[in-house]
Amino acid sequence: MAKWRCKICGYIYDEEEGDEENGITPGTKFEDLPEDWICPLCGAPKDEFERID
């Protein structure tokens, strides 16, 4: 499972944890997030995220 960082605010989306507050269950891969999913902190779209190792 990967982690993805918002290039705008630094929020980390962890695929293992998901984003349960916004209806995304743990284990959801970043590429499987809905196209209209946005950063829960700053509202940035998915294309503003980068994979981190």
Side-chain angles (χ1 to χ4, degrees), residues 34-48:
E35 285 304 313
D36 62 351
W37 182 85
I38 58 172
C39 176
L41 293 184
C42 74
K46 284 176 63 176
D47 62 359
E48 291 295 334

Side-chain angles (χ1 to χ4, degrees), residues 5 16-17 20 22 30 34-35 41 45 49 53:
R5 177 177 44 230
E16 280 188 38
E17 295 178 9
E20 289 192 276
N22 294 296
F30 187 79
E35 285 304 313
L41 293 184
F49 280 73
D53 295 314

